[in-house]
């Protein structure tokens, strides 16, 4: 990770950042791409892939709000009793103290970015990583660490099949320059 001291900005290049094991699944390796000490403790951003059949169990964050951005694929969310699908390009904001869970019901991994505000979650993620790296996971120790950081794990969600099947879409912000180039080459 490259941090510039002269303008107060941070740059994280592809494949850089701190790798953390954030869920009790073998594949749940995410990257912390912006840390609280780079944002005056205002927020933290992580990114990763959510594999088929995986996702965060039902829980509550007491200390931070959480915002998900779905880069590709489709996720099913549970927030305060409501269930809904979120496809590529969707942003989902979940305030602190809301019950929440998320899952990938598809056959392909879903790429997501998650912003936590204020920052501080990275300390939890770094402390929980060795617990999730060890199989089988010591759930008692994982629960104690979660509680230390204001995260309460709840009973599993009774999921409803909403047909949250991915269309394998990828969200790409349109660029006027790409559109102009495309139109120019269409006329040749």
């Amino acid at each position: 990770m490259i941090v510039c001291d002269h303008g107060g900005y941070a740059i994280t290049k592809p494949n850089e950042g701190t790798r953390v094991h954030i869920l009790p699944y073998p594949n749940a390796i995410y990257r912390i791409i912006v840390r609280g000490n780079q944002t005056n403790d205002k927020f933290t951003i992580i990114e990763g892939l959510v594999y088929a059949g995986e996702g965060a169990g039902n829980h509550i964050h007491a200390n931070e709000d959480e915002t998900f951005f779905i880069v590709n694929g489709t996720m099913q969310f549970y927030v305060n009793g409501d269930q809904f699908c979120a496809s590529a390009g969707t942003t989902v904001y979940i305030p602190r103290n809301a019950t929440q869970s998320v899952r990938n019901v598809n056959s392909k991994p879903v790429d997501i970015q998650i912003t936590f505000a204020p920052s501080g979650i990275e300390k939890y993620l770094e402390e929980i990583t060795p617990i999730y790296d060890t199989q089988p996971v010591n759930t008692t120790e994982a629960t104690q660490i979660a509680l230390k950081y204001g995260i309460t794990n709840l009973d599993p969600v009774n999921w409803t099949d909403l047909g949250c099947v991915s269309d394998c879409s990828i969200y790409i912000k349109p660029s006027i320059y790409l559109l102009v180039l495309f139109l120019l080459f269409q006329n040749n």
Side-chain angles (χ1 to χ4, degrees), residues 70-138:
I70 312 301
V71 178
N72 68 21
T74 302
M75 298 292 291
Q76 185 172 353
F77 281 81
Y78 172 92
V79 180
N80 286 337
D82 295 327
Q83 294 187 38
F84 55 91
C85 303
S87 60
T90 302
T91 300
V92 177
Y93 166 76
I94 303 173
R96 68 194 76 192
N97 297 314
T99 58
Q100 60 171 295
S101 187
V102 61
R103 70 179 185 158
N104 176 357
V105 295
N106 298 287
S107 61
K108 296 188 178 196
V110 175
D111 190 10
I112 62 170
Q113 287 188 341
I114 308 169
T115 302
F116 296 91
S119 68
I121 195 75
E122 62 269 38
K123 294 171 188 150
Y124 162 74
L125 297 173
E126 290 169 337
E127 190 170 338
I128 201 70
T129 291
I131 304 305
Y132 288 152
D133 279 345
T134 305
Q135 297 293 323
V137 171
N138 182 333

Side-chain angles (χ1 to χ4, degrees), residues 1-143:
M1 184 174 303
I2 299 170
V3 180
C4 179
D5 295 330
H6 297 292
Y9 60 88
I11 300 168
T12 304
K13 294 185 177 183
N15 300 314
E16 290 185 348
T18 305
R19 297 200 183 287
V20 289
H21 198 157
I22 72 165
L23 295 169
Y25 305 108
N27 295 321
I29 309 297
Y30 287 46
R31 293 184 315 127
I32 301 172
I33 58 174
V34 178
R35 303 180 68 86
N37 63 0
Q38 298 170 291
T39 66
N40 293 321
D41 297 322
K42 294 191 184 326
F43 61 89
T44 298
I45 302 175
I46 67 172
E47 70 175 7
L49 292 173
V50 181
Y51 287 85
E54 297 181 359
N58 196 16
H59 65 285
I60 295 172
H61 287 269
N63 299 332
E64 56 272 323
D65 300 337
E66 194 169 358
T67 304
F68 292 81
F69 178 73
I70 312 301
V71 178
N72 68 21
T74 302
M75 298 292 291
Q76 185 172 353
F77 281 81
Y78 172 92
V79 180
N80 286 337
D82 295 327
Q83 294 187 38
F84 55 91
C85 303
S87 60
T90 302
T91 300
V92 177
Y93 166 76
I94 303 173
R96 68 194 76 192
N97 297 314
T99 58
Q100 60 171 295
S101 187
V102 61
R103 70 179 185 158
N104 176 357
V105 295
N106 298 287
S107 61
K108 296 188 178 196
V110 175
D111 190 10
I112 62 170
Q113 287 188 341
I114 308 169
T115 302
F116 296 91
S119 68
I121 195 75
E122 62 269 38
K123 294 171 188 150
Y124 162 74
L125 297 173
E126 290 169 337
E127 190 170 338
I128 201 70
T129 291
I131 304 305
Y132 288 152
D133 279 345
T134 305
Q135 297 293 323
V137 171
N138 182 333
T139 55
T140 302
E141 192 172 1
T143 298

